[in-house]
Amino acid sequence: MRHFFRRKSSKEVAKDRLKILLISDRVNCSPEMMEMIKADIAKVISKYMKIDAKSMEIQISKTGSKGGRGMRTPTLYANIPIIDLNQ
Amino acid sequence: MSEVIVVTSGKGGVGKTTTSANVGTGLARMGKKVCLIDTDIGLRNLDVVMGLENRIVYNLVDVVEGNCRIKQALIRDKRNPSLYLMPSAQTRDKSAVTPEQMIKMITHLREQFDYIILDCPAGIEQGFRNAIAGADRALVVTTPEVSAIRDADRIIGLLEAEEFKQIDLVINRLRTDLVKRGDMMSASDVVDILAVSLIGVVPDDENIVISTNQGEPLVGNGTPAGIAFQNICNRVLGKEVPFADFSKGISFWTRVSGIFHKV
């Protein structure tokens, strides 16, 4: 029973896959490149504070302009959990 | 003032032609003068879905090449006197027509019709370019599947780059039983991902197969898909129609279609 509850529904799998896929489709930027950007950002921030590089997330989304999806202004969002500010 | 709507999807087989036929028929039944244009040169299908395949004399390529007048190529629908079809050519290919020629033809048609609906071919090549060239707004058709949604996203990006004023999403072939089970994305999941306005959700309905077999669009006939297409037509006209709650399961729809099968 516990196994049943823990399993992700196939719909969730599809949604997660699509989200990642569409980010790279929309910016013409491969998932590998996103990983490289992520690693580089982590390296720079780590110079100044201790961060949780494993659970950090980056994504390119397109908000900012008024037209529904706002395709014209892509923005890079980075979500970087800080472990210790005063390193 | 006339409005030119392109029905597109990127991926093939998601229901562009079915949507074009039903939206066109629905709008005509509501008293609008409608022209359906099949832009899929080489693979024409809208004529068979409409049940008008035996009446074709001239086609879209004949019109742009000047072999006939626009009026000669237009086929009047069997049932709706205000509905016309411009069939595509079966023996030519996409390169027979250019976007400029499409715009020119549509400009002429605008004078005679309230709505011009363009059934776009699958893909993002010349056929797609031809179909979107003269259009004011777009209906993007997708199914709740990863491949169709990915292609729809690509199409929406291309339409936005062409500065389309209005892009609306039609989610076709939704299976409420699978959604309930967590094995299919719901309409709101799809809207979430594509971030575009929703104009209709069409449930997966065997009546579509029957209607295509018979060459008679089912819009407005009381079947689940027929009701959904009728709602889309009303929303195209700018009317507010609440969305049916497809999360509640299929019991209601099954009951409704059950009644129709008995009759």
Side-chain angles (χ1 to χ4, degrees), chain A residues 7-19 21-26 67-72, chain B residues 145-146 149-150 153-154 156-157 160-161 163 179 181-186 188-189 192-196:
Chain A
R7 215 175 61 194
K8 237 183 188 177
S9 69
S10 72
K11 161 203 137 154
E12 290 302 327
V13 176
K15 238 183 134 173
D16 292 346
R17 285 176 61 213
L18 261 172
K19 276 182 183 160
L21 189 62
L22 293 190
I23 290 166
S24 45
D25 274 5
R26 283 174 192 174
R69 314 205 316 159
M71 285 297 279
R72 271 168 261 295
Chain B
E145 289 151 39
V146 199
I149 294 170
R150 182 192 199 178
D153 188 75
R154 188 81 206 282
I156 293 166
E160 279 179 338
E163 312 209 317
V179 172
R181 220 166 68 191
D183 282 331
M184 181 178 266
M185 282 177 269
S186 67
S188 61
D189 289 329
D192 244 19
I193 288 167
L194 292 175
V196 68

Side-chain angles (χ1 to χ4, degrees), chain B residues 202-220:
Chain B
V202 184
D204 192 30
D205 185 352
E206 60 187 37
N207 290 299
I208 288 285
V209 179
I210 300 167
S211 121
T212 310
N213 286 345
Q214 296 171 330
E216 289 170 19
L218 50 61
V219 58

Side-chain angles (χ1 to χ4, degrees), chain B residues 128-167:
Chain B
F128 168 73
R129 294 283 159 202
N130 286 340
I132 66 165
D136 305 319
R137 62 186 284 195
L139 296 185
V140 176
V141 185
T142 188
T143 59
E145 289 151 39
V146 199
S147 50
I149 294 170
R150 182 192 199 178
D151 291 0
D153 188 75
R154 188 81 206 282
I155 288 292
I156 293 166
L158 292 170
L159 293 172
E160 279 179 338
E162 294 293 321
E163 312 209 317
F164 264 65
K165 288 180 293 198
Q166 202 176 349
I167 303 168

